[in-house]
Amino acid sequence: QKVSEKVGGAEGTKLDDDFKEMERKVDVTSRAVMEIMTKTIEYLQPNPASRAKLSMINTMSKIRGQEKGPGYPQAEALLAEAMLKFGRELGDDCNFGPALGDVGEAMRELSEVKDSLDMEVKQNFIDPLQNLHDKDLREIQHHLKKLEGRRLDFDYKKKRQGKIPDEELRQALEKFDESKEIAESSMFNLLEMDIEQVSQLSALVQAQLEYHKQAVQILQQVTVRLEERIRQASSQPRREYQPKPRMSLEFPPGDSAQPNGGLSHIGTPKPAGKVSQWIQPCCRALYDFEPENEGELGFKEGDIITLTNQIDEN
């Protein structure tokens, strides 16, 4: 019968418009539930690699009879870990380190609030939708499939009327009507009780609202602490940089080999004044230099240039 309808264009028993409209709405509901569940999980857990890894861990935990695996690694928790780590390394004797600690703690609290949002949405939104899909919608699909089978049987026997007993045709019609009534009743009850899905949507929005309220409170608190640190730092006198004495290099005269290339470090600056070439720092010229301005020193390649007077430590 199905082949004759598909290939030969045979007309089958038509269902009434109300039934078709309910069937259409149930189909839309079924597709909406699956799509919304998937998108809600992606909204709560945006990282696809982490979702896949978490799913694998949870599956393996169930197989091994263990407790549920670790939760989704919230981005806030990863950021908090980095801030707290470097805040500890910088220490409390600067401004940036403790500030990193403050924001890191706030991020850690935000990750905990995000975990709570995940659990709340799963229990009060995703799980009820999953139950709707696995139970009510699946049951309706079963009734519709059974109805289609009985319709095909009835139409086949109807075309053979006169060749089969009337009682067999009557039984086929009764079974078709029975399946139609069951399918129609189950779809009607589902669509009539759709306020339950509205309640589940409300639970989703309330969970989001609570999350954002707590997030605002956490961020306001850390903002106050940061502003206080800024005020304290601004009120403290600014320290001036005090340069330490520079290292000076001494180039020994001549070409005598030295283990360090003829360089020796002198930790303290030489006193001002003219002293002998062999005590004062000196260097050998690598290139010729012709003086271009008044006061510049000209020299030839290979000349030894000796510091004869040091005005200051620079």
Side-chain angles (χ1 to χ4, degrees), residues 249-282:
L249 299 176
E250 181 175 350
F251 294 80
D255 295 329
S256 59
Q258 296 291 335
N260 195 28
L263 302 180
S264 63
H265 294 268
I266 302 175
T268 56
K270 296 292 183 178
K274 294 183 179 180
V275 292
S276 169
Q277 165 184 336
W278 311 116
I279 298 177
Q280 284 293 91
C282 60

Side-chain angles (χ1 to χ4, degrees), residues 113 207-220:
V113 174
Q208 291 173 301
L209 180 61
E210 183 62 24
Y211 162 73
H212 287 292
K213 282 182 179 178
Q214 295 184 38
V216 167
Q217 184 178 2
I218 292 169
L219 292 174
Q220 285 177 338

